[in-house]
Protein backbone atom coordinates (compact mmCIF):
# COMPACT_ATOMS: atom_id res chain seq x y z
CA UNK A 1 0.00 0.00 0.00
CA UNK A 2 1.24 3.40 -0.90
CA UNK A 3 0.96 6.24 1.59
CA UNK A 4 -0.81 9.30 0.24
CA UNK A 5 -0.54 12.73 1.71
CA UNK A 6 -4.10 12.37 3.02
CA UNK A 7 -3.17 9.16 4.87
CA UNK A 8 -0.18 10.83 6.48
CA UNK A 9 -2.30 13.77 7.68
CA UNK A 10 -4.86 11.44 9.24
CA UNK A 11 -2.16 9.41 10.97
CA UNK A 12 -0.51 12.56 12.22
CA UNK A 13 -3.64 13.97 13.77
CA UNK A 14 -4.52 10.64 15.41
CA UNK A 15 -1.03 10.50 16.86
CA UNK A 16 -1.28 14.04 18.19
CA UNK A 17 -4.61 13.24 19.79
CA UNK A 18 -3.21 10.16 21.48
CA UNK A 19 -0.23 12.11 22.84
CA UNK A 20 -2.48 14.81 24.26
CA UNK A 21 -4.77 12.26 25.88
CA UNK A 22 -1.75 10.61 27.41
CA UNK A 23 -0.20 13.82 28.71
CA UNK A 24 -3.21 15.52 30.29
CA UNK A 25 -4.13 12.99 33.00
CA UNK A 26 -0.49 12.89 34.07
CA UNK A 27 -0.50 16.64 34.81
CA UNK A 28 -3.86 16.49 36.55
CA UNK A 29 -2.79 13.60 38.77
CA UNK A 30 0.16 15.58 40.14
CA UNK A 31 -2.28 18.13 41.57
CA UNK A 32 -4.68 15.37 42.62
CA UNK A 33 -1.85 13.68 44.53
CA UNK A 34 -1.15 16.88 46.45
CA UNK A 35 -4.85 17.39 47.16
CA UNK A 36 -5.13 13.79 48.40
CA UNK A 37 -2.21 14.43 50.76
CA UNK A 38 -4.22 17.20 52.43
CA UNK A 39 -7.67 15.63 52.43
CA UNK A 40 -6.50 12.07 53.13
CA UNK A 41 -9.00 10.80 50.56
CA UNK A 42 -12.01 12.48 52.20
CA UNK A 43 -14.88 13.77 50.10
CA UNK A 44 -14.44 17.23 48.63
CA UNK A 45 -17.59 19.24 48.01
CA UNK A 46 -18.38 22.59 46.44
CA UNK A 47 -19.37 25.28 48.91
CA UNK A 48 -18.91 28.88 49.91
CA UNK A 49 -15.23 28.76 49.03
CA UNK A 50 -14.54 31.24 46.24
CA UNK A 51 -11.42 31.91 44.26
CA UNK A 52 -11.14 35.17 42.37
CA UNK A 53 -8.67 35.28 39.51
CA UNK A 54 -8.52 37.17 36.21
CA UNK A 55 -9.83 35.35 33.14
CA UNK A 56 -6.85 36.47 31.12
CA UNK A 57 -3.47 37.24 32.69
CA UNK A 58 -1.11 39.05 30.36
CA UNK A 59 1.92 38.37 32.51
CA UNK A 60 2.18 34.98 34.19
CA UNK A 61 4.79 36.33 36.60
CA UNK A 62 2.28 38.20 38.73
CA UNK A 63 -1.30 37.00 38.62
CA UNK A 64 -3.44 38.54 41.37
CA UNK A 65 -5.72 36.00 43.05
CA UNK A 66 -8.00 36.11 46.07
CA UNK A 67 -9.53 33.31 48.10
CA UNK A 68 -12.55 33.77 50.33
CA UNK A 69 -13.54 30.84 52.52
CA UNK A 70 -16.10 31.58 55.26
CA UNK A 71 -15.64 29.11 58.11
CA UNK A 72 -12.35 27.69 56.87
CA UNK A 73 -9.29 27.07 59.00
CA UNK A 74 -6.92 26.45 56.11
CA UNK A 75 -6.88 27.05 52.37
CA UNK A 76 -4.35 25.44 50.04
CA UNK A 77 -3.86 26.81 46.53
CA UNK A 78 -2.61 24.76 43.58
CA UNK A 79 -1.81 25.55 39.95
CA UNK A 80 -2.17 22.37 37.90
CA UNK A 81 -0.01 23.49 34.98
CA UNK A 82 3.05 24.60 36.94
CA UNK A 83 6.17 22.40 37.29
CA UNK A 84 5.36 22.22 41.02
CA UNK A 85 1.59 22.46 41.60
CA UNK A 86 1.76 23.82 45.17
CA UNK A 87 1.34 27.59 45.36
CA UNK A 88 0.62 28.40 48.99
CA UNK A 89 -1.32 27.25 52.00
CA UNK A 90 -2.94 29.81 54.25
CA UNK A 91 -3.93 29.13 57.86
CA UNK A 92 -6.43 31.55 59.34
CA UNK A 93 -6.14 32.44 63.00
CA UNK A 94 -8.94 33.40 65.41
CA UNK A 95 -8.45 37.11 64.68
CA UNK A 96 -9.34 36.80 61.01
CA UNK A 97 -13.08 37.41 60.53
CA UNK A 98 -13.58 37.11 56.79
CA UNK A 99 -11.17 34.23 56.11
CA UNK A 100 -10.03 35.89 52.93
CA UNK A 101 -6.59 36.67 51.60
CA UNK A 102 -5.19 37.92 48.33
CA UNK A 103 -1.73 37.59 46.86
CA UNK A 104 0.09 37.39 43.54
CA UNK A 105 1.23 34.12 42.01
CA UNK A 106 3.28 32.78 39.09
CA UNK A 107 1.59 30.73 36.37
CA UNK A 108 3.68 28.90 33.76
CA UNK A 109 0.90 28.68 31.17
CA UNK A 110 -2.87 28.71 30.72
CA UNK A 111 -4.25 26.44 33.44
CA UNK A 112 -6.63 25.92 36.33
CA UNK A 113 -6.01 27.43 39.74
CA UNK A 114 -7.49 25.14 42.38
CA UNK A 115 -8.22 26.01 46.01
CA UNK A 116 -8.94 23.41 48.68
CA UNK A 117 -10.37 24.62 51.99
CA UNK A 118 -10.43 22.70 55.23
CA UNK A 119 -13.49 23.78 57.18
CA UNK A 120 -13.87 24.06 60.96
CA UNK A 121 -15.85 20.80 61.09
CA UNK A 122 -13.09 18.91 59.23
CA UNK A 123 -14.81 18.72 55.85
CA UNK A 124 -13.22 19.93 52.63
CA UNK A 125 -14.34 22.28 49.88
CA UNK A 126 -12.93 22.91 46.45
CA UNK A 127 -13.05 25.79 43.96
CA UNK A 128 -11.47 26.07 40.54
CA UNK A 129 -10.77 29.02 38.29
CA UNK A 130 -9.33 28.90 34.78
CA UNK A 131 -6.73 31.52 33.91
CA UNK A 132 -5.48 32.18 30.39
CA UNK A 133 -1.83 33.22 30.43
CA UNK A 134 -0.26 35.03 27.47
CA UNK A 135 3.32 35.16 28.78
CA UNK A 136 4.46 32.32 31.04
CA UNK A 137 5.94 32.99 34.45
CA UNK A 138 8.25 30.02 35.15
CA UNK A 139 11.65 29.28 33.67
CA UNK A 140 12.65 31.33 30.68
CA UNK B 1 19.41 36.82 49.77
CA UNK B 2 20.04 38.81 52.86
CA UNK B 3 20.55 42.19 51.24
CA UNK B 4 17.94 44.59 49.98
CA UNK B 5 15.06 42.89 51.76
CA UNK B 6 12.66 45.55 52.94
CA UNK B 7 9.28 44.78 54.49
CA UNK B 8 6.47 47.27 53.93
CA UNK B 9 3.22 47.09 55.84
CA UNK B 10 0.09 49.22 55.70
CA UNK B 11 -2.05 49.20 58.85
CA UNK B 12 -4.52 51.95 59.83
CA UNK B 13 -3.29 54.07 62.77
CA UNK B 14 -6.53 53.73 64.69
CA UNK B 15 -9.79 51.81 64.56
CA UNK B 16 -13.01 51.43 66.52
CA UNK B 17 -13.02 48.55 69.02
CA UNK B 18 -14.12 45.36 67.30
CA UNK B 19 -13.77 46.88 63.85
CA UNK B 20 -12.46 44.85 60.91
CA UNK B 21 -9.48 46.42 59.20
CA UNK B 22 -7.60 45.61 56.01
CA UNK B 23 -3.86 44.98 56.20
CA UNK B 24 -1.54 45.07 53.21
CA UNK B 25 1.98 43.67 53.36
CA UNK B 26 4.78 43.52 50.84
CA UNK B 27 8.39 42.47 51.20
CA UNK B 28 10.99 43.07 48.52
CA UNK B 29 12.53 39.71 47.69
CA UNK B 30 13.45 38.18 44.35
CA UNK B 31 11.85 34.77 45.18
CA UNK B 32 14.22 32.71 43.01
CA UNK B 33 12.10 29.68 42.09
CA UNK B 34 14.83 27.08 41.52
CA UNK B 35 13.38 26.42 38.05
CA UNK B 36 15.36 29.02 36.11
CA UNK B 37 18.74 28.49 34.47
CA UNK B 38 21.59 30.94 34.03
CA UNK B 39 23.45 31.63 30.77
CA UNK B 40 25.58 28.48 31.09
CA UNK B 41 22.60 26.19 31.61
CA UNK B 42 23.14 25.74 35.34
CA UNK B 43 20.08 25.79 37.57
CA UNK B 44 19.93 28.89 39.77
CA UNK B 45 19.38 27.57 43.31
CA UNK B 46 16.05 28.20 44.98
CA UNK B 47 15.94 31.14 47.36
CA UNK B 48 12.50 32.17 48.55
CA UNK B 49 10.60 33.29 51.60
CA UNK B 50 8.89 30.11 52.76
CA UNK B 51 6.64 31.36 55.56
CA UNK B 52 4.82 34.53 56.54
CA UNK B 53 2.90 35.09 59.76
CA UNK B 54 0.92 37.98 61.24
CA UNK B 55 -0.08 38.18 64.90
CA UNK B 56 -2.05 40.69 66.94
CA UNK B 57 -1.12 40.84 70.65
CA UNK B 58 0.15 37.27 70.43
CA UNK B 59 -2.93 35.90 68.67
CA UNK B 60 -2.48 34.57 65.18
CA UNK B 61 -4.21 36.34 62.30
CA UNK B 62 -2.75 34.54 59.30
CA UNK B 63 -0.01 31.96 58.74
CA UNK B 64 0.99 31.38 55.12
CA UNK B 65 3.30 28.72 53.72
CA UNK B 66 4.84 30.05 50.52
CA UNK B 67 6.02 27.96 47.58
CA UNK B 68 8.15 29.04 44.60
CA UNK B 69 4.95 29.84 42.66
CA UNK B 70 4.49 33.04 44.70
CA UNK B 71 5.56 36.10 42.70
CA UNK B 72 8.61 38.26 43.25
CA UNK B 73 8.08 40.72 46.14
CA UNK B 74 5.44 38.62 47.94
CA UNK B 75 2.30 40.65 48.58
CA UNK B 76 -0.51 39.71 50.93
CA UNK B 77 -3.74 41.45 51.73
CA UNK B 78 -6.01 40.19 54.49
CA UNK B 79 -8.39 41.33 57.21
CA UNK B 80 -8.24 41.34 60.97
CA UNK B 81 -10.50 42.36 63.83
CA UNK B 82 -9.17 44.83 66.37
CA UNK B 83 -10.76 44.12 69.79
CA UNK B 84 -8.35 46.39 71.70
CA UNK B 85 -5.36 48.65 71.20
CA UNK B 86 -2.19 46.75 70.56
CA UNK B 87 0.51 45.79 68.13
CA UNK B 88 0.55 43.82 64.93
CA UNK B 89 3.68 41.76 64.45
CA UNK B 90 4.68 40.52 61.01
CA UNK B 91 7.36 37.89 60.42
CA UNK B 92 8.88 36.54 57.23
CA UNK B 93 11.10 33.42 57.18
CA UNK B 94 13.75 33.17 54.44
CA UNK B 95 15.14 29.93 52.95
CA UNK B 96 18.64 30.99 54.11
CA UNK B 97 17.51 31.14 57.74
CA UNK B 98 17.05 34.91 57.96
CA UNK B 99 13.97 36.19 59.72
CA UNK B 100 12.56 39.61 58.84
CA UNK B 101 10.28 41.29 61.36
CA UNK B 102 8.27 44.43 61.53
CA UNK B 103 5.59 45.69 63.91
CA UNK B 104 2.81 48.29 63.73
CA UNK B 105 0.90 49.79 66.64
CA UNK B 106 -2.80 50.48 66.39
CA UNK B 107 -4.89 52.55 68.79
CA UNK B 108 -8.57 52.13 69.51
CA UNK B 109 -10.72 55.24 69.43
Amino acid sequence: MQLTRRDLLVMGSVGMGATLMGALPAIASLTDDEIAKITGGADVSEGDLAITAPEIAENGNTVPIEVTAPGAVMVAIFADGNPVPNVASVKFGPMNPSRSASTRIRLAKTQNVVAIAQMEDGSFQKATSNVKVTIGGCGG
Amino acid sequence: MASGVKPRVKVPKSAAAGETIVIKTLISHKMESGQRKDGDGNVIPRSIINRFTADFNGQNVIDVTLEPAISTNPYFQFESTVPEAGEFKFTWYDDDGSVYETAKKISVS
Side-chain angles (χ1 to χ4, degrees), chain A residues 61-119:
Chain A
N61 267 316
T62 56
V63 182
I65 60 155
E66 182 179 7
V67 286
T68 310
V73 286
M74 196 271 296
V75 176
I77 304 160
F78 301 97
D80 65 7
N82 275 7
V84 179
N86 303 49
V87 174
S89 67
V90 184
K91 288 192 190 77
F92 295 110
M95 303 292 290
N96 200 319
S98 61
R99 311 290 161 99
S100 73
S102 57
T103 185
R104 296 170 186 156
I105 66 172
R106 288 182 180 136
L107 295 177
K109 58 185 180 191
T110 299
Q111 58 182 291
N112 289 322
V113 180
V114 183
I116 298 285
Q118 185 176 11
M119 312 308 286

